[in-house]
Structures are given as structure tokens and as C-alpha cells.
Amino acid sequence: MKLFKLIILFAFVPFAGFAKLNVVATTTDFGSIAQEIGGEKIDLTTLSKPTEDPHFVDAKPSFIVKLNHADALIEGGAELEVGWLPPLIEGSRNAKLESGKPGRVSCAEGIALLEVPTTLDRSKGDIHAAGNPHFMTDPLNGKIVAAHIAKSFCQLDPKSCDYFNANLKKFNDRFDAKMAEWQKLLAPDQGKDVVSYHNSWPYFAKRFDLKMDIFLEPKPGIPPSPSHLAEVITKMKSGQIKVIIVQPYQNRKTAEAVASHAEAVVLDFPSFPGSMKDTKGYIDWMDFLVKSLAKGFQARK
Amino acid sequence: MRKFEAVNLEKFMKILKIIGWSSALCLSAMTLQAQETNEVGQFKKQLQQMQENFDKVTRAQQQQIEALTKKLDELTRTQLPPIAVAPVKTEEQKKLEAELATELAKDSTTNAASKSATQSSPLSAPWSASQPLTIARAGSAYMNISFDALMDAGWSTESDPSAQLQLGDHDPQKRGFSLRNAEIALDGAVDPYFKGFANIVLKLDNNNETDIELEETYLQSTSLPANLQLKAGQFFSAFGRNNPQHPHQWAFVDAPIISTRAFGPDGLRNIGTQLSWLAPTPFFTELSLGIFDGQGGTAHSFRNVGEDDGTGVNRFAGRATIDRNLRGPQDLLFTPRLASSFEVTDTQTLVGGLSGAFGPNDTGLHSRTEIYGADVYWKWKPANATEGFPFVSWQTEGIYRRFGAGSGADLMEPVQSENLRDWGAFSQVLWGFKPRWVTGIRGDYASGNSGQFDSSDAFRGERYRISPVLTFFPSEFSKVSLQYNHDHGEKFGTEHSVWIQLEFLLGAHGAHKF
């Protein structure tokens, strides 16, 4: 009998001791932070690709399997994944991921969202009732999310809590040093205008005190028209606006056409970590954005 | 005796002790009370002070705010950007526009994903399940409400397309205008254990009278153990891929021919329950079993008495039908299904399924029907797609039905019983060639053995149909489709139809399943 108990003990102890948390993140910004906090104690799966539009991810059945095995789901919330995540969670049959459980991390919680509409009117285009969900472009929000994730991991795996908190501290230290550097880098450009394809960067603009309210799109979700682009060019010329930012792989040609008329530079501005070289981690990605923007301003001085 | 005294003494001591303790307690309570009254006074004073301080600060801040707003107003008035004033187009601007137009044209041909940024703004959440009506704001309502209407206009070389060509209940069925599907969809969490769904469909019949049907109303479990999930109520059977979809999810304006033959105009939906199980395989595998009542027109090939032949006799497949009640569980309708999915590559997904439907039918006392189906769906979408475009998808379904037609209820004129065998398939390819645009083509084929009453049955006989379609989505909430049907049937020869379908959606947009 004793032997039997010992065998049982040894059969389960290794799993209990080394079992990693199965973590699923919807997008790579949440995923990369989760990896930094979780380190070797988690197995991470990210559902959407870094180059993909987070609103238009296909609800593939293979994702149901991943969510079925998950101990934690890290989502943006605020309607970011509303078009595809609900049927996946329904299909996953995983009680750990029910909202309110420690395994369900909704990153938008505790973040002051911008652009919360006062009226819901789709004639103004497609709107987010809860506010703009692309809050990770403000690095300080990344820090909030990191703390949020560490808290969840601690609840799910209390034994490794010290490890997670140590990783959080490492992340925060690195972050704080970088943040100071970024603010210094962009300080001379405060208040400057930047043209973007789409209203994707209000959080980034607010954090670094930039103006990003000229868009190549005439209305959100409506493709650029020649008359609108001509207007943008006029604005850029009269306002001495010299920088256009675009998503890599996409709509670069339209931006270049506008840039050539306004003597501006076009910068690749990936919206997620991992979509370009050297942007794998969240901090690396932010570093890339800030540095290329600072360089862009420099080039057209 | 001494012993007794000793005991008494002990008791006495105990009583004394108790008295002592309790009086001590009383005293302390009293002092506490006194302290409390003292503290109350202090707190009151503090509170008053704080209130005064607060009022002072607010007043000061209000003054500051007013001063600042005034300043801001003045500044914005003086600093209006010159370009915001009425844009009068100069010759130069016009030239620039023309130039840009050609560049844009070039751009859209070379770069399919030219529309918008990957990461979008507040104004571009596409499939927004909880983007609700103004009366039901996200997160603050108990359910999502939406209204989705499909309106059709078209022409056919056949003067009455509803007779032989357009056999689906939500198909455009007549020349000119029709409205065959306006659905109110409700969904939300019932409690921590169930989610609830309802679809109420309104439609105009071919005399433009309003019909109403409770298309679906069911609840679904959220927290059963062992990877199980239970669904109960009235709902579409999970047979194949096309059947459980609502008409507005279809890429074509009408139902596939073989679907209408096996499942009738409405598709296979009935009241019942379904248990499904997610298998613990590394790839997606789901097994499900539906158990339905199996009665009525929405269980077309099963306990369905059919249509009145004009003499007060209900007929189906030519036979006078028997309105059978349940004699036991064997008279229920059973629909098992197995579905699996694989990631072929990072950008390609494949889903395959096998389905069955087994139950009695009303043409004889012991007559039964079996339906088998196989379906496959493949989709390609590149890693850097914009708003879900471009993509290519391919869907094919094959269905076989054995309808054991009995000898009918008319004992004076018994009909020979026979097996009616029907088979058919449809295959469709869709290509989202640029944002908001989808084109596609569908091929339909259906055939079967010959039966005694085929001449009066629009659902039998060999037939094929080719349907190209072009769809434009002005936004996620509206759609215009143009479809042509080249239709050839053993019974009616060759007919041509052209349909335009317009869809609009108000309120919550349900999330899309794969």
C-alpha cells in the first residue's frame, strides 16, 4: 500500500512541480508582455498574427482546441475581439475562461479609454461603444497590462508568484529606463503633426504630445479618394507636415504618392510587436516606433 | 458531606467569577461608549473642516476652468487653420486630383489590401457582437438585439419561379420585388450556466401578407464538465455547413437545390436537444448528437404530413399521409455529426464533416428516412489581410437521402411502397478580391431514382444550376448582391433568373463562426 502511494506521488509530483500555465493571448502585444512575465513557467499561444487586423481574425476551429486547453486567456476587451472571440470561447467549453475568473484577463479593465462615443450612430462610420480599444500604443498602458497579467498568473500559480513578480520588476525597470529615453527623444517634436492612414494612434499621440488627426482616409473605413488626398496634401503643405506613418505591407503606395507631393517621408509603423524585424517584444516594438518617428522628424528638418 | 460543601464552594466561586467578569465587561463597554461619543464629535468637526476645504478648492478650480475655457475660446477663434475655410478648387488642385486618381487606380490593382490600416480606429470594428442599438448599449444590456432584412428584386424567364425554381423558403420567389427574410435576433447570457438565443423571422408571402415564424429559440450550456455542451429548444440541426446557417450568412441569395430536396424549403430545424463533445485530439474534432421531435414542415423528410391536395387529404411524395404520434423513442429524429478541422498551413484552414439524419416519415406506419451528408470547407487568407480581404474559400457538400415511401393512409387505394433515393451536391468558390468586394460561383446538381409520383413533385427529377454572384459590402452592416442562375431541369427545361439582394443590419452584429 505504501509503495502504491509512493508511486502515485511520484507519478503526479513531476506534473505538479513543472506544469506550465497554458496561456492564450489574442494579439502579440498582450502575448509578448505575458511571455516576459511568465517566462519559462508558461506556454504561450497567440491567436492573431502580428500583421493581421485584430478585428478580422477568423474564428478557426483550431483556436477552440487551444482555448479548451488554456489556463488563462489574455484579451484586449472593449470590443477589440468581439467579432470572433465569443464563438471560440463558447466552443471551448472551458470554465476557467469564464469572465470574472482569474484565468480571464481583460486588459482594457483599469485603463481610461479614449474616444468613448456619446451617441451610437453608425452613419458616422463603424464605432466602438466602449471607446478606442487600441490602447497598447500608449506605453504606460503596457505597464498597467503587465501588472494585470502578473496578478492573474500569481492567482493561477501561487507557487511561482515570486518568479512572476521578479519578472514584472525586471520588465518595469527596463520599461522605466526606456520610457525616459523615449520622452527625451520625442521632446523636441512635441505638438508636431503627423499624418496617418487611419485613426489608429490616438493613445500614442496623447502620450508623446503629438497631433495625429489628419488621415488619408476620408472617413474611418472608407478608402482614400483623390479629392480627399488633395485636401490632405494642401494641409500638409500649409502646415509644414512632413511625416506620414503607415502599416507595413499595406497602403504604402497611396502614402508615398501623397508624400511625394508634400515632400514628406513615409514611415513604417507596425501596429503589433513581431510584424517587423527587431520588434519582437513589446518594449522593442515601442522603441522601434519612437526611434523611427524621431528619425523621421530629423530627416525633414 | 465535606465533598458536598466543597462542590458548593466551587460553584459559589464560579458565580462570583462570572459576576466579576461581567461587571468588568459592563464597565469597559460604558467607557467605550463614552469614547465613542467623544470621537463622534471629533469626526463631525473634521468632516466639517474637510467639507469647507473641499468647497474652497472646487470654487477655485471652477474659476480656473472658466478662465482657461475663455482663453481657449479666444485662441481657437484667432487660430483657425486657413485650410479649414471653404475649399475652392483651383486648376492646380484639380490637376493634382486627377494625378492622384490614376495613382490610386494603380495602387488598388497592384495592392489588393489597399484599404485601411491593420489596426483600426474607434470607427472600424467590423463584426461587433456587442455593438448594439442605442437603447441597448454594450455591456449595460442583458441582451444583444439586432434586426436583419434581406430584400430581393429580380426577373426570371419562368413566370412563377416559386413553382419549380426557387424552392427555398427564403429565396426570392417571384418576379419583381420580394422580402423573404427579416429577422430579429436576440442573444445574451441567461445566468452563469446558460446562454440564450432567439431568431424571429418575418417575411412577406407571395401575396405580400406578413408571415411570422419562430425560427430558432434555444439555450446553450456554458459550463458542463468533460468537454460537453448541451443545446435545447428549437434550432437548426448541425447537418453540414449550409443547413445551420441563416440566409443572411449565405453567399448566395437562394438555398442549394439538394438542401431543399433533403430538408425542404425551411432547412432542417426542429424542437429538441443536442449534446456535443469536443474530443481531446490535438486538432479540432467535435462529435454531436441531436435528438428532435421530428414533426412538421421543418422536418420535411420525416414526420411531415405534407400539403393538402385540395380534397382535404394531406399528401407527401404522392401518398396520403398518416399523422403519426410518437410510439417510442425510435420515432424521434436523430442527427449525429462528426466535424474536424486542420490548419493546412499558416494561412489555410480546412474543415470537414460527416452528418446523418434518421427518423420515421408519415407515408406509412413503419416507413423511415435516412439522410447522409459530407461537407468540406477550405479557406485561404494571407497573413497581412486588410479587414479580412483578400481571401479565397471553397465549400462543397454532398447529400444522399433514402426516403422509404410507404403505402399511404388511403386503404381503399393503397399505393405501392418504394424507396425514393435522391442525391446531389453543390460546390462554391468565393473570392474576396479586394476589400468590400466578393465574387463567386456555385454549381448545383441533384438527381435521384424515379418514383411513382415524380410528375407532381417539384423536389424530384434531375436538375443542375450554375450561379455566378458579385457582392459589394458598403460597410459591415449592408450588402448588395447580384446573382444569375442558369437553371436546367428535366421537368422544366432551361430557365434564366437574375436576382439582386439588398441586406441591412441594425443593432448588434453577431460574431462570425468559421
Side-chain angles (χ1 to χ4, degrees):
Chain A
M1 200 58 203
K2 234 180 192 174
L3 189 72
F4 181 68
K5 268 185 189 162
L6 266 179
I7 288 172
I8 295 257
L9 201 69
F10 278 103
F12 286 96
V13 158
F15 293 104
F18 304 105
K20 290 183 174 184
L21 283 179
N22 248 319
V23 178
V24 175
T26 55
T27 51
T28 56
D29 41 6
F30 308 128
S32 63
I33 293 179
Q35 192 65 71
E36 298 212 29
I37 308 297
E40 61 194 21
K41 305 236 178 216
I42 65 163
D43 270 327
L44 177 78
T45 309
T46 306
L47 298 182
S48 79
K49 300 182 186 87
T51 50
E52 206 167 15
D53 188 329
H55 296 304
F56 290 88
V57 177
D58 280 333
K60 295 179 188 177
S62 60
F63 292 170
I64 291 178
V65 178
K66 284 172 181 158
L67 287 171
N68 178 257
H69 297 159
D71 297 304
L73 166 65
I74 302 169
E75 58 163 350
E79 299 187 1
L80 180 71
E81 308 94 342
V82 78
W84 52 277
L85 195 58
L88 294 177
I89 294 173
E90 258 169 51
S92 76
R93 299 156 170 87
N94 187 346
K96 287 182 203 162
L97 308 183
E98 277 165 22
S99 55
K101 295 265 173 81
R104 181 81 171 268
V105 185
S106 186
C107 295
E109 274 169 26
I111 284 172
L113 295 183
L114 299 178
E115 300 173 350
V116 181
T118 47
T119 56
L120 298 179
D121 176 1
R122 282 193 185 132
S123 69
K124 292 170 188 152
D126 202 349
I127 55 172
H128 285 295
N132 189 323
H134 306 293
F135 49 84
M136 292 297 275
T137 58
D138 175 352
L140 281 190
N141 286 340
K143 207 176 159 184
I144 295 174
V145 165
H148 205 148
I149 290 173
K151 196 179 143 207
S152 157
F153 286 179
C154 273
Q155 279 173 296
L156 295 169
D157 183 3
K159 275 189 205 150
S160 311
C161 192
D162 290 342
Y163 174 81
F164 297 137
N165 281 332
N167 280 346
L168 176 66
K169 194 177 175 302
K170 247 188 271 168
F171 176 83
N172 281 344
D173 290 347
R174 198 154 73 88
F175 179 92
D176 291 341
K178 274 288 177 189
M179 187 70 201
E181 188 189 328
W182 297 331
Q183 272 172 326
K184 214 166 123 196
L185 255 177
L186 285 178
D189 304 311
Q190 270 181 13
K192 278 191 187 166
D193 272 291
V194 176
V195 174
S196 58
Y197 189 90
H198 192 91
N199 184 15
S200 311
W201 305 93
Y203 293 90
F204 185 87
K206 196 170 173 230
R207 177 56 53 208
F208 294 108
D209 212 353
L210 300 163
K211 283 204 280 186
M212 294 191 176
D213 32 40
I214 303 173
F215 313 111
L216 299 186
E217 284 180 335
K219 265 185 185 177
I222 310 293
S225 61
S227 65
H228 176 75
L229 290 182
E231 211 176 291
V232 169
I233 291 169
T234 324
K235 275 189 202 175
M236 289 178 72
K237 279 182 178 163
S238 69
Q240 290 294 307
I241 304 167
K242 295 295 177 201
V243 175
I244 303 176
I245 56 175
V246 294
Q247 316 291 328
Y249 319 120
Q250 285 162 5
N251 44 64
R252 176 139 192 145
K253 285 180 184 165
T254 312
E256 268 166 4
V258 173
S260 73
H261 287 285
E263 290 164 0
V265 284
V266 179
L267 302 178
D268 277 333
F269 238 55
S271 21
F272 288 96
S275 63
M276 286 177 77
K277 233 177 83 187
D278 304 327
T279 62
K280 195 158 174 278
Y282 179 78
I283 294 178
D284 305 328
W285 166 64
M286 193 52 68
D287 201 48
F288 176 89
L289 296 183
V290 171
K291 283 186 177 153
S292 58
L293 191 59
K295 229 184 268 168
F297 283 129
Q298 206 69 38
R300 291 291 158 161
K301 255 202 182 131
Chain B
M1 194 64 191
R2 282 191 75 134
K3 202 178 173 190
F4 179 73
E5 261 171 44
V7 171
N8 258 357
L9 198 73
E10 234 171 77
K11 261 191 189 166
F12 180 69
M13 289 294 283
K14 242 187 203 168
I15 288 166
L16 263 188
K17 242 188 210 167
I18 289 170
I19 290 171
W21 275 114
S22 50
S23 52
L25 267 174
C26 276
L27 272 175
S28 60
M30 268 153 73
T31 47
L32 262 177
Q33 231 168 8
Q35 270 176 1
E36 266 169 26
T37 41
N38 259 356
E39 270 177 37
V40 167
Q42 269 179 346
F43 277 141
K44 270 188 186 159
K45 226 185 229 169
Q46 268 183 352
L47 189 70
Q48 218 169 353
Q49 268 176 359
M50 279 168 82
Q51 192 96 44
E52 275 163 24
N53 277 347
F54 178 73
D55 284 347
K56 230 188 262 171
V57 172
T58 358
R59 243 174 288 138
Q61 279 189 341
Q62 213 146 23
Q63 278 167 359
Q64 265 180 340
I65 288 170
E66 271 163 31
L68 280 172
T69 6
K70 224 185 218 172
K71 230 186 223 172
L72 187 71
D73 275 353
E74 278 164 25
L75 279 173
T76 41
R77 234 173 283 148
T78 51
Q79 287 193 344
L80 262 187
I83 27 115
V85 202
V88 182
K89 281 183 192 167
T90 58
E91 275 303 306
E92 201 183 333
Q93 254 178 321
K94 277 182 196 162
K95 217 173 105 189
L96 181 63
E97 277 182 31
E99 227 172 281
L100 286 164
T102 52
E103 267 165 54
L104 276 179
K106 248 191 277 165
D107 199 10
S108 65
T109 48
T110 49
N111 183 5
S114 70
K115 196 183 139 215
S116 113
T118 321
Q119 177 166 343
S120 44
S121 77
L123 303 179
S124 90
W127 317 109
S128 298
S130 49
Q131 274 195 1
L133 295 166
T134 321
I135 53 157
R137 201 187 167 97
S140 67
Y142 289 120
M143 63 179 173
N144 298 313
I145 306 169
S146 74
F147 178 79
D148 186 288
L150 297 173
M151 293 160 297
D152 306 293
W155 200 261
S156 174
T157 50
E158 159 67 48
S159 64
D160 180 12
S162 75
Q164 307 232 42
L165 301 185
Q166 304 296 122
L167 298 176
D169 196 41
H170 304 289
D171 294 0
Q173 293 188 338
K174 58 175 189 170
R175 288 176 172 177
F177 295 98
S178 53
L179 195 162
R180 299 293 302 163
N181 193 85
E183 70 184 55
I184 299 162
L186 313 170
D187 77 271
V190 178
D191 54 27
Y193 315 106
F194 296 108
K195 288 194 85 177
F197 302 83
N199 270 75
I200 298 148
V201 172
L202 300 155
K203 59 180 192 280
L204 298 180
D205 69 12
N206 292 339
N207 294 313
N208 293 342
E209 298 288 340
T210 307
D211 279 346
I212 181 163
E213 62 189 34
L214 186 59
E215 193 172 45
E216 288 196 293
T217 180
Y218 63 91
L219 50 75
Q220 184 171 296
S221 73
T222 56
S223 47
L224 280 190
N227 282 350
L228 292 170
Q229 191 159 59
L230 187 78
K231 213 168 159 178
Q234 158 104 336
F235 56 93
F236 280 109
S237 157
F239 192 109
R241 185 176 170 82
N242 194 77
N243 187 66
Q245 286 182 335
H246 290 259
H248 66 88
Q249 294 167 283
W250 293 345
F252 294 82
V253 308
D254 38 24
I257 295 171
I258 189 62
S259 302
T260 59
R261 291 191 175 191
F263 304 127
D266 271 302
L268 183 60
R269 69 184 154 83
N270 220 261
I271 179 153
T273 179
Q274 177 192 293
L275 190 68
S276 65
W277 177 58
L278 185 66
T281 45
F283 52 89
F284 174 85
T285 302
E286 192 183 56
L287 268 167
S288 67
L289 177 67
I291 303 172
F292 295 93
D293 188 53
Q295 194 163 27
T298 56
H300 180 79
S301 295
F302 300 94
R303 287 193 296 136
N304 174 20
V305 292
E307 305 263 310
D308 191 327
D309 65 359
T311 66
V313 177
N314 285 324
R315 281 183 190 279
F316 190 83
R319 275 94 176 151
T321 49
I322 308 159
D323 196 355
R324 260 163 75 163
N325 288 320
L326 290 180
R327 289 169 301 193
Q330 76 277 9
D331 279 354
L332 292 168
L333 164 62
F334 295 87
T335 65
R337 173 167 171 82
L338 167 71
S340 272
S341 172
F342 308 92
E343 299 298 324
V344 182
T345 69
D346 224 20
T347 54
Q348 294 177 53
T349 306
L350 189 70
V351 187
L354 296 170
S355 316
F358 310 99
N361 69 56
D362 273 349
T363 58
L365 278 172
H366 301 285
S367 46
R368 293 185 71 82
T369 307
E370 289 134 36
I371 304 175
Y372 301 89
D375 57 278
V376 60
Y377 177 73
W378 169 88
K379 184 175 177 180
W380 166 81
K381 197 180 89 175
N384 61 337
T386 306
E387 301 198 357
F389 292 88
F391 70 87
V392 178
S393 73
W394 172 64
Q395 178 185 347
T396 296
E397 287 192 49
I399 294 175
Y400 167 83
R401 177 184 81 156
R402 184 193 71 86
F403 184 86
S407 48
D410 197 344
L411 296 175
M412 305 302 289
E413 278 179 68
V415 178
Q416 210 177 353
S417 55
E418 61 185 332
N419 273 325
L420 300 177
R421 296 176 197 278
D422 296 272
W423 55 86
F426 69 91
S427 187
Q428 64 191 44
V429 177
L430 295 174
W431 176 31
F433 56 99
K434 61 188 261 186
R436 311 202 281 179
W437 288 89
V438 180
T439 185
I441 188 160
R442 178 185 65 189
D444 261 304
Y445 176 80
S447 187
N449 66 352
S450 48
Q452 296 167 64
F453 299 96
D454 277 2
S455 57
S456 62
D457 196 340
F459 291 99
R460 302 216 75 218
E462 191 175 41
R463 180 179 167 194
Y464 71 82
R465 182 171 70 185
I466 306 287
S467 316
V469 71
L470 179 69
T471 302
F472 173 61
F473 295 86
S475 76
E476 296 306 327
F477 308 99
S478 59
K479 160 182 121 178
V480 192
S481 275
L482 174 66
Q483 181 179 325
Y484 161 72
N485 283 351
H486 175 91
D487 217 328
H488 181 85
E490 177 182 354
K491 292 199 189 146
F492 52 79
T494 302
E495 303 284 0
H496 308 271
S497 313
V498 174
W499 306 110
I500 295 170
Q501 187 170 70
L502 192 63
E503 177 187 358
F504 74 86
L505 176 112
L506 293 174
H509 193 310
H512 279 231
K513 288 187 176 170
F514 190 72

